[in-house]
Amino acid sequence: MDERIIKNTILNTIEASLDAQLRAVRRLKDGEHGAKPRAPRKGMSQVDMAYDILKRAGTPLHVSEIISRIEEVHSRQVDRESLASALIKKVQRRNRFVRTGKNVFGLIEFGR
């Protein structure tokens, strides 16, 4: 390799590193004077909450009952169509959930 190419590659790498460090310092400096607050962590997904509810119930539940219990236990409102769609996709992939009736979902029993 040509010496100039190696030299330019090294200098470009150092320049990129210094640029990143300068941006980080500026972000930290601006953070002292009114940086945007971070959004709170959302926590569990709708599917994770549904899994938790079904695990607690120990029996399949209708999607309406799952939603009701999510609101009660997790204090979150869940869109019925969104949750049903997500659970159906999990059922089709044989991922954690089974469908035992129309809009009735349960958990796959392990060890079968």
Side-chain angles (χ1 to χ4, degrees), residues 5-41:
I5 295 173
I6 294 172
K7 179 181 175 183
N8 281 337
T9 301
I10 292 171
L11 291 174
N12 286 337
T13 303
I14 292 171
E15 181 182 27
S17 174
L18 290 171
D19 184 49
Q21 290 175 25
L22 181 59
R23 282 183 281 138
V25 168
R26 287 180 177 158
R27 275 195 309 271
L28 289 171
K29 186 177 171 186
D30 291 342
E32 296 172 5
H33 304 290
K36 298 177 200 171
R38 281 188 161 182
R41 188 169 175 243

Side-chain angles (χ1 to χ4, degrees), residues 81-109:
E81 303 304 319
S82 175
L83 179 61
S85 174
L87 292 176
I88 289 168
K89 287 177 184 175
K90 295 289 185 181
V91 167
Q92 290 171 343
R93 294 182 192 132
R94 293 179 176 84
N95 183 347
R96 295 195 286 180
F97 299 93
V98 293
R99 193 172 186 179
T100 60
K102 185 174 181 184
N103 286 326
V104 179
F105 298 93
L107 298 178
I108 292 176
E109 294 179 33

Side-chain angles (χ1 to χ4, degrees), residues 25-99:
V25 168
R26 287 180 177 158
R27 275 195 309 271
L28 289 171
K29 186 177 171 186
D30 291 342
E32 296 172 5
H33 304 290
K36 298 177 200 171
R38 281 188 161 182
R41 188 169 175 243
K42 290 187 177 185
M44 298 174 81
S45 70
Q46 290 184 19
V47 172
D48 289 337
M49 288 187 285
Y51 179 84
D52 178 57
I53 295 301
L54 290 168
K55 190 172 182 181
R56 290 174 189 228
T59 186
L61 297 173
H62 190 273
V63 72
S64 297
E65 182 62 23
I66 295 171
I67 291 170
S68 173
R69 292 186 189 195
I70 286 174
E71 289 174 359
E72 182 181 312
V73 173
H74 296 282
S75 302
R76 295 253 321 262
Q77 290 192 341
V78 176
D79 179 66
R80 177 188 168 100
E81 303 304 319
S82 175
L83 179 61
S85 174
L87 292 176
I88 289 168
K89 287 177 184 175
K90 295 289 185 181
V91 167
Q92 290 171 343
R93 294 182 192 132
R94 293 179 176 84
N95 183 347
R96 295 195 286 180
F97 299 93
V98 293
R99 193 172 186 179

